[in-house]
Amino acid sequence: MQQFTVIGAGLVGVCCALHLQREGFTVRLVDKGAPGMKASFGNSGSFGTASCVPFALPGVLRKVPKMLLDPTSPLKLRWGHVPKALPFFLRLVAASRPSRVEEIARARNALLVHTHAGYAPLIEGADAGQWVSDDGLLMTFESEAAFANAAYALDLRRRNGVHMDILDGNEARQIEPALSKKVIKAVSLPDVHRTIDPWRLCDALARDFVRRGGEIVAAEVKGFEIGADGPNRIVTGRGPLDVDRLVIAAGVWSRPLAAELGTSVPLEAERGYHVMFGPQEFGLKRALVSADRSVSLAHMHEGIRATGVAEFAGPDAPPDMRIADRVMRHARELVPGLKGEAASKWMGPRPSHPDSKPVIGRSPRHRNVYFAFGHDHLGLTMAGITGKLVAELATGKPTTVDLEPFRPDRF
Ligand SMILES: Cc1cc2nc3c(=O)[nH]c(=O)nc-3n(C[C@H](O)[C@H](O)[C@H](O)COP(=O)(O)OP(=O)(O)OC[C@H]3O[C@@H](n4cnc5c(N)ncnc54)[C@H](O)[C@@H]3O)c2cc1C
C-alpha cells in the first residue's frame, strides 16, 4: 500500500504529506478549504522550542474557576459549552499533579528538541527560508510578583535544558526599545526562532508538495467506508475516494473523524485571537510574550501581530471580536508606541488535549490509519517533527522519538 491520503492541510497535515512523499509514497492531501487557512493561518509564529511547560500547572484547580469568572481574564469559557467541556477540565486538573507535569514537560520537550530536524529539509526543499527568522523571544514581567509566579515554569524549562538569560527592564529595553517602562524584568530565550508569516510558510510548503507530484483535493471528508482491512474509502462532499492508508491531521476537527474510526479523544477548541496593526514607525526584533497580560507580539511580514486568549467554545462558533479588542488594549500597554486601529482581527482554534500532548501514532483499531493532531499552542513548532515521525511509522523505521506518551488510546 504505497498511497497515502492525509486529511487536513494545516501545517501538521502538510508536513506529514511532505515527509511521506520524501519516503517515496504517493500522497494526496484533502482539505475542505485552502491549505493553512484555519489554526495555522494567524498564530504567533514562534517555533516554541522553549515551551515544554504544559497548560495545567500545580494549583490550576484554585486558579481556573477564579479566572473563568473574571471578565478581564485571558481564559474564557462559553457557558453553553460547559457540559461538553467539563470532562476536558476534569482531565486538565488531573494533569496538573506535579509528577504528571514533570512527565508531560519531558514528553513535550522530546518533540521540541527535534523542531529543526523536522523542518529543515522541508523548508530548504521548498526554498521557504525567507519566511523564517532566528531573532529569539523575550518574556516580559511588570512586577516582582509576576516574576515570582513564573518561577516554577522557568525552573521546569531550565531542568529540560532550555537556555535562558534573566534581564532587568533597562536591559530588555536596550534590546527592544519599544517596550513599556512598566517592564521591570525579562527572560531572553535566544534559541526560539519564528516565522514572519505562518500562512505563507504553510502555503510555500503546500506548493512544494504539489511541485513534487502531490495532489491536493478540495473536499470535506464526511465519513468513511470500512472494509475488512480498515477504511478503504472516504466519503466527501464531492463523492467517494478510494484510499489505501490514511492520516488524520484535521486539527481540532480530528475528534469526530477519529470517533468515527473507533477512537475517542478529549480534543477541545482552545480558541485564540489575533489583531494585526498596520505599518508602524518602529520594528520589533524579538517575539514578545507578556507574563502579566497573556499576550504575545511579533513583527510579521505585513505588520505587528498581537495574539492571545484561550476561549473554550465550539470550533465553528462565531468569534467574539470583543476578545480581540482586549488583546489589542494589552498590546498597546506593553508597547505604547503602537499606533492606529486594527488592520484585521482573527480567531483560530488551537486543537488541545487536557494533558497538553498531541496524539501521534497508529490507530488502535485500524492498521492503515495514523493520527497526527492535538498540538495545542505548539502546532507550528511540532508540525515538522510530527510529519517525520508519521513517515517513520509508515516505513516501519524506528521512530526518532518514543511515541508511547502520545498514544491515541492513552485517555
Ligand atoms: C492565537 C494563536 C497563537 C498561536 N501561536 C503559536 C505559536 O507561536 N507557535 C506554535 O507552535 N503554535 C501556535 N499556535 C498553535 C498552532 O497554530 C496550531 O497548533 C496549529 O496551527 C495546528 O495545526 P493543524 O494542522 O493541526 O490544524 P489546522 O491548521 O486547524 O488545520 C486543520 C485542517 O483540517 C481541515 N479539515 C478539518 N476537518 C476537515 C474535514 N472533515 N475534511 C477536510 N478537511 C478538514 C481544515 O480545513 C484545516 O485546514 C497558535 C494558535 C493560535 C490560535
Side-chain angles (χ1 to χ4, degrees):
M1 292 203 286
Q2 293 304 306
Q3 189 248 35
F4 262 90
T5 298
V6 179
I7 302 177
L11 278 158
V12 174
V14 169
C15 289
C16 287
L18 278 168
H19 275 291
L20 286 165
Q21 206 176 37
R22 284 175 168 258
E23 292 294 345
F25 294 104
T26 302
V27 188
R28 173 209 278 152
L29 264 168
V30 183
D31 199 294
K32 58 186 173 186
M37 290 305 285
K38 293 297 182 180
S40 300
F41 177 82
N43 60 52
S44 320
S46 289
F47 292 106
T49 47
S51 304
C52 59
V53 178
F55 189 77
L57 294 178
V60 77
L61 185 56
R62 236 182 322 108
K63 284 187 200 147
V64 164
K66 231 190 275 170
M67 287 176 83
L68 289 175
L69 293 170
D70 175 359
T72 65
S73 143
L75 184 65
K76 312 260 174 232
L77 171 61
R78 292 220 180 155
W79 293 115
H81 194 64
V82 170
K84 184 146 187 283
L86 194 62
F88 176 96
F89 279 100
L90 294 176
R91 286 176 191 274
L92 187 91
V93 170
S96 71
R97 285 201 319 271
S99 59
R100 290 275 283 129
V101 169
E102 294 289 329
E103 172 249 307
I104 293 167
R106 272 197 303 278
R108 280 163 71 93
N109 203 47
L111 294 174
L112 294 176
V113 295
H114 295 289
T115 302
H116 181 70
Y119 263 115
L122 309 188
I123 290 176
E124 199 185 310
D127 200 13
Q130 63 182 305
W131 304 117
V132 180
S133 133
D134 59 1
D135 292 328
L137 181 144
L138 273 188
M139 208 183 283
T140 64
F141 301 87
E142 294 173 29
S143 69
E144 289 296 345
F147 188 63
N149 269 341
Y152 177 85
L154 291 176
D155 192 48
L156 196 56
R157 285 189 173 85
R158 201 173 286 116
R159 282 184 280 118
N160 278 280
V162 174
H163 176 89
M164 293 181 280
D165 299 308
I166 312 286
L167 312 175
D168 66 25
N170 288 332
E171 287 168 327
R173 275 180 293 279
Q174 267 168 28
I175 298 173
E176 223 41 271
L179 270 178
S180 158
K181 295 255 183 318
K182 289 183 189 158
V183 171
I184 59 150
K185 265 203 165 76
V187 174
S188 166
L189 298 155
D191 300 330
V192 173
H193 295 185
R194 64 191 187 89
T195 169
I196 57 166
D197 194 322
W199 174 73
R200 283 191 166 83
L201 176 63
C202 190
D203 184 60
L205 295 176
R207 282 174 194 273
D208 189 46
F209 166 73
V210 174
R211 200 169 54 80
R212 291 168 190 272
E215 181 194 6
I216 301 184
V217 178
E220 178 169 2
V221 176
K222 295 177 183 285
F224 306 93
E225 287 180 19
I226 314 278
D229 298 321
N232 52 22
R233 276 182 146 188
I234 54 173
V235 181
T236 81
R238 295 174 56 185
L241 287 173
D242 291 338
V243 296
D244 285 336
R245 295 207 247 176
L246 271 177
V247 179
I248 309 297
V252 73
W253 297 274
S254 301
R255 180 176 175 160
L257 297 175
E260 195 170 335
L261 293 169
T263 298
S264 161
V265 288
L267 190 63
E268 279 290 323
E270 189 193 332
R271 305 172 3 143
Y273 287 75
H274 92 206
V275 173
M276 285 299 301
F277 291 91
Q280 305 288 322
E281 283 163 9
F282 62 93
L284 292 177
K285 231 173 119 42
R286 308 279 181 106
L288 303 176
V289 175
S290 163
D292 311 73
R293 304 177 180 283
S294 300
V295 293
S296 302
L297 270 89
H299 213 126
M300 294 283 171
H301 177 58
E302 277 164 357
I304 291 180
R305 174 176 295 171
T307 49
V309 175
E311 181 197 32
F312 289 86
D316 298 307
D320 175 356
M321 287 307 176
R322 288 170 306 180
I323 295 179
D325 293 339
R326 174 200 179 277
V327 171
M328 186 160 74
R329 277 195 306 278
H330 279 288
R332 285 208 173 109
E333 286 184 33
L334 184 67
V335 175
L338 275 172
K339 295 270 182 321
E341 287 309 307
S344 63
K345 299 174 188 175
W346 170 88
M347 181 281 292
R350 302 178 189 93
S352 296
H353 287 123
D355 64 358
S356 297
K357 291 184 293 178
V359 158
I360 306 171
R362 228 179 237 267
S363 150
R365 185 71 73 88
H366 303 293
R367 293 218 31 96
N368 64 335
V369 176
Y370 302 77
F371 292 140
F373 54 78
H375 296 75
D376 58 65
H377 293 235
L378 291 176
L380 161 67
T381 312
M382 291 176 172
I385 180 61
T386 298
K388 187 170 189 299
L389 290 164
V390 167
E392 287 169 352
L393 281 177
T395 50
K397 291 180 186 166
T399 53
T400 302
V401 177
D402 174 17
L403 290 179
E404 185 65 25
F406 310 106
R407 289 169 61 104
D409 56 359
R410 67 179 187 268
F411 298 104

